[in-house]
Amino acid sequence: MGYGMMRGVTRRLMLLDTASLYFRAYFGMPESVKAPDGTPVNAVRGLLEFIDRLVRDHRPTDLVACMDADWRPHWRVELIPSYKAHRVAEEHAVGPDEEEVPDTLSPQVPVIEAVLDALGIARVGVAGYEADDVIGTFTALAKEPVDIVTGDRDLYQLVEDAREVRVLYPLKGVGTLQLTDEAALREKYGVDGRGYVDLALLRGDPSDGLPGVPGIGEKTAAKLLDRFGDLAGIMAAVDDPAASLTPSQRKRLDEARSYVAVAPRVVRVAVDVPLPDVDTALPRTPRDPATLEALATRWGLGGSLQRLLTTLQG
C-alpha cells in the first residue's frame, strides 16, 4: 500500500466516505445535468467536481474512495435490530439489504465506480463492512497525516491530533469544509475523538436507528462524560449511591444497560477490516485512458472530468 515516506515527499492520505459525498453531489446538483441519452449524471459529475476541489485545496499524495460493500452489516443489526432499519427498501435473506435511494441516483453508482477505476483512483469496499469501517482501518494503519472527508459525524471518533488525523466535514458542497480536530470537538461537544463514541451512543442517532438512552441528550451526555470520564465510569456511577446523578438519570441509565452493553460495538468503526492490497497513490494520468474516454462520451462527463484530469496532472 502507499504508506510511509517517499524520498523528499511528505505523504498525506485522504479517505473519502464516497456514498456520503455522492449523495451530497446528487442533491446539490440539478437533475437537468444529463448524459446525451437523457440519463441524469448529476451525482457522477458532482462527485468528480468534489474530488477535483479536494485535491486542489488539500493536495493529498494518496487518496482512497471508500465504499459501502454492506451499508447495514448483519453483525451490527444482530446487536441493535433498529440499526438503519428505517432506510431499508428491501430485505434479503442472503447478501446486503437494499437501501432506499432516489430512483435516479442508484443507476449512477456503477458509473461512478467505473470512472474511478478508469482514472486509477483506489476504490475499496470490503464484504460485510461499511465504508466507515474501511476508513477506520486505513486510518489505524496510516503512518502519515490523514484527512477523512465525510458528511457523517460518526467518523469524528477517529480524530486524533497526535497522529494528525482530522475530519473535513462539508458544510456547503466541498468548497466550505469544517476542519474538525480535537479542539473543534471539545468546543462543540466537550469530548475528544475517543470520547465521541460514548457521546454518540448515549445521545442516540435517529438517522442511524440508534435509540440512545431516553432522556439523555447531547448536553447531558457531555456533562456526564466530563464528570465520570467515560461510559464505563458513568455506568459505575449508576451502582454508586454516592455518585452525583439525578434520580431520573440513574433510573434511565439503569434501564438502558442492555443497550449500553452492545452499543459500543455498533457505534465504533472497525479497525481490523481485511483490506485488499491497493496502490493508494493519487494517479497523475488515467490508468485506462481508452475506457475513460468511452465513459466520458457515453455519459457526457465533459468539463467535470477534464478539470479533474488537469488537477491530477498538476
Side-chain angles (χ1 to χ4, degrees):
M1 294 186 200
Y3 295 135
M5 292 284 289
M6 281 185 350
R7 188 173 298 168
V9 176
T10 303
R11 301 196 75 88
R12 177 172 288 278
L13 173 63
M14 178 172 280
L15 301 170
L16 306 183
D17 182 2
T18 314
S20 163
L21 296 177
Y22 67 59
F23 262 94
R24 280 175 179 251
Y26 174 82
F27 287 108
M29 190 172 264
E31 277 194 35
S32 55
V33 178
K34 292 180 175 173
D37 69 354
T39 309
V41 287
N42 51 336
V44 185
R45 289 187 59 161
L47 181 66
L48 292 173
E49 291 181 12
F50 277 5
I51 295 173
D52 173 48
R53 183 71 187 259
L54 288 164
V55 171
R56 274 192 290 124
D57 288 356
H58 300 281
R59 293 290 167 194
T61 55
D62 295 71
L63 186 141
V64 184
C66 301
M67 313 296 290
D68 285 313
D70 189 342
W71 65 281
R72 188 177 182 245
H74 184 62
W75 58 272
R76 281 193 167 107
V77 177
E78 274 192 323
L79 293 166
I80 297 182
S82 63
Y83 183 66
K84 294 186 178 178
H86 61 297
R87 281 155 53 182
V88 175
E90 196 176 328
E91 288 199 39
H92 297 298
V94 179
D97 292 334
E98 230 166 274
E99 185 177 11
E100 198 170 320
V101 296
D103 283 345
T104 53
L105 172 57
S106 46
Q108 297 188 57
V109 177
V111 182
I112 287 168
E113 293 175 344
V115 171
L116 291 174
D117 290 350
L119 278 164
I121 288 175
R123 184 173 66 81
V124 178
V126 178
Y129 293 98
E130 300 177 51
D132 285 11
D133 302 311
V134 174
I135 290 169
T137 304
F138 269 112
T139 301
L141 292 171
K143 304 284 192 295
E144 66 270 15
V146 180
D147 285 338
I148 298 163
V149 189
T150 181
D152 182 354
R153 294 186 300 172
D154 290 346
L155 288 166
Y156 286 166
Q157 65 185 272
L158 296 172
V159 168
E160 189 179 347
D161 288 359
R163 296 185 61 234
E164 293 186 76
V165 178
R166 61 185 185 171
V167 166
L168 309 182
Y169 185 91
L171 297 173
K172 188 177 179 192
V174 289
T176 310
L177 292 168
Q178 178 183 290
L179 267 62
T180 307
D181 57 9
E182 286 183 14
L185 284 182
R186 283 196 198 94
E187 185 180 337
K188 180 146 193 191
Y189 302 105
V191 294
D192 58 11
R194 194 167 299 181
Y196 191 82
V197 171
D198 292 347
L199 180 88
L201 71 85
L202 287 166
R203 173 195 65 203
D205 187 346
S207 68
D208 278 345
L210 288 172
V213 177
I216 306 285
E218 191 165 274
K219 285 183 178 161
T220 303
K223 281 177 188 165
L224 291 173
L225 288 166
D226 184 51
R227 191 178 306 152
F228 300 111
D230 57 13
L231 186 65
I234 292 171
M235 297 314 290
V238 175
D239 296 322
D240 177 4
S244 55
L245 288 167
T246 68
S248 66
Q249 286 169 353
R250 195 181 299 276
K251 181 172 183 288
R252 283 165 171 159
L253 288 161
D254 185 46
E255 288 171 351
R257 281 181 196 274
S258 59
Y259 163 75
V260 169
V262 296
R265 275 204 64 212
V266 176
V267 178
R268 273 193 201 114
V269 300
V271 293
D272 57 355
V273 173
L275 297 176
D277 189 17
V278 293
D279 180 6
T280 62
L282 199 61
R284 292 182 70 82
T285 54
R287 176 186 294 150
D288 189 342
T291 299
L292 190 63
E293 193 171 331
L295 288 165
T297 304
R298 164 75 180 85
W299 298 105
L301 302 181
S304 304
L305 179 60
Q306 279 310 315
R307 284 188 288 277
L308 175 55
L309 287 169
T310 302
T311 298
L312 291 173
Q313 283 164 9

